[in-house]
Amino acid sequence: MKVPVVFDKTGTLTYGKLKISKIYNYSNLNDDELITLASSLELQSSHPISTAFSEYMQNNNIQIKKVKNFENIPGYGIKGIIENSTIILGNRKILSKYNISIENNHILDEENLSNDNNSIIYVIKDNNVIGLIGVNDILRDNSKDIISRLNKNNIQTIMLTGDNDTVAEKVRKYFRNIKNNLKCTSTR
């Protein structure tokens, strides 16, 4: 019988140094205004993704806005009020939770982000999707070798991730020897 070892993807199999890689903007806001709303809310969170927003804001000299009524929505994302507008950030599941419709171009853009190994964040303002933000991480150089060695020693390796299925499957294929993906729900 193989002994299982579970690895959290972010920060263990990857460097945990998340970066904003792509912004799809569907609003009349410019990209800096969109990212300011998202970052102001995200910086209230303790989720590792918030570091990507913090770094982006520092590198681009963007000032945060005041957030009221901040709320974690475990497994979905976060919510708050900025300048009298309700802002929601989260994965695709958050859309159905708040009964928010999605356009075909959002689905295509989400697929593009997933194909580039991004975690996807929907940006919602007053119940309208105003943007998608892709955040990604770099796989650790030595992690593939470690997984291979463990498997050679009859230790089953399992990846734990909160990413969407496309990203999780790409990472799993990269390692080849990770047999299972365990889906987790972020507590944000």
Side-chain angles (χ1 to χ4, degrees):
M1 181 176 145
K2 284 191 170 188
V3 174
V5 174
V6 179
F7 290 91
D8 184 4
K9 185 191 72 101
T10 303
T12 305
L13 298 176
T14 66
Y15 285 101
K17 192 131 173 59
L18 299 163
K19 297 208 179 289
I20 293 173
S21 65
K22 179 80 176 151
I23 300 167
Y24 287 101
N25 188 343
Y26 311 119
S27 72
N28 58 358
L29 303 172
N30 66 42
D31 285 354
D32 281 350
E33 292 169 327
L34 176 75
I35 204 76
T36 297
L37 289 176
S39 297
S40 297
L41 188 58
E42 193 65 60
L43 292 177
Q44 306 300 308
S45 170
S46 60
H47 192 278
I49 284 178
S50 68
T51 61
F53 286 87
S54 177
E55 183 176 313
Y56 187 93
M57 289 188 75
Q58 289 173 2
N59 291 343
N60 293 282
N61 247 358
I62 298 171
Q63 300 298 313
I64 66 169
K65 295 185 178 271
K66 185 177 180 182
V67 175
K68 297 178 188 171
N69 302 329
F70 176 80
E71 180 183 348
N72 277 312
I73 307 154
Y76 296 92
I78 54 180
K79 178 179 174 183
I81 296 174
I82 300 173
E83 296 178 340
N84 297 318
S85 290
T86 299
I87 308 298
I88 302 170
L89 303 179
N91 56 36
R92 189 196 263 207
K93 294 186 300 184
I94 207 157
L95 300 174
S96 59
K97 180 170 180 62
Y98 289 99
N99 204 22
I100 297 168
S101 62
I102 185 170
E103 305 290 327
N104 285 336
N105 62 323
H106 301 152
I107 294 168
L108 293 173
D109 292 342
E110 180 180 352
E111 287 174 7
N112 288 333
L113 290 170
S114 289
N115 289 334
D116 289 336
N117 295 329
N118 286 284
S119 296
I120 294 135
I121 300 166
Y122 277 85
V123 183
I124 300 152
K125 180 180 180 184
D126 297 327
N127 292 323
N128 294 302
V129 175
I130 63 167
L132 280 177
I133 299 174
V135 177
N136 65 26
D137 199 353
I138 299 168
L139 295 169
R140 288 185 183 271
D141 298 331
N142 64 345
S143 56
K144 191 172 188 177
D145 182 52
I146 291 168
I147 298 297
S148 179
R149 285 189 208 181
L150 288 169
N151 281 282
K152 284 178 185 173
N153 286 304
N154 210 31
I155 297 172
Q156 180 184 24
T157 52
I158 299 169
M159 180 177 68
L160 179 69
T161 182
D163 283 330
N164 67 53
D165 292 338
T166 304
V167 172
E169 183 62 18
K170 281 187 170 222
V171 174
R172 191 192 67 73
K173 282 183 178 178
Y174 171 80
F175 287 109
R176 281 187 233 129
N177 295 325
I178 289 185
K179 304 294 182 205
N180 301 319
N181 290 337
L182 292 179
K183 203 70 173 144
C184 70
T185 300
S186 168
T187 57
R188 267 200 175 259

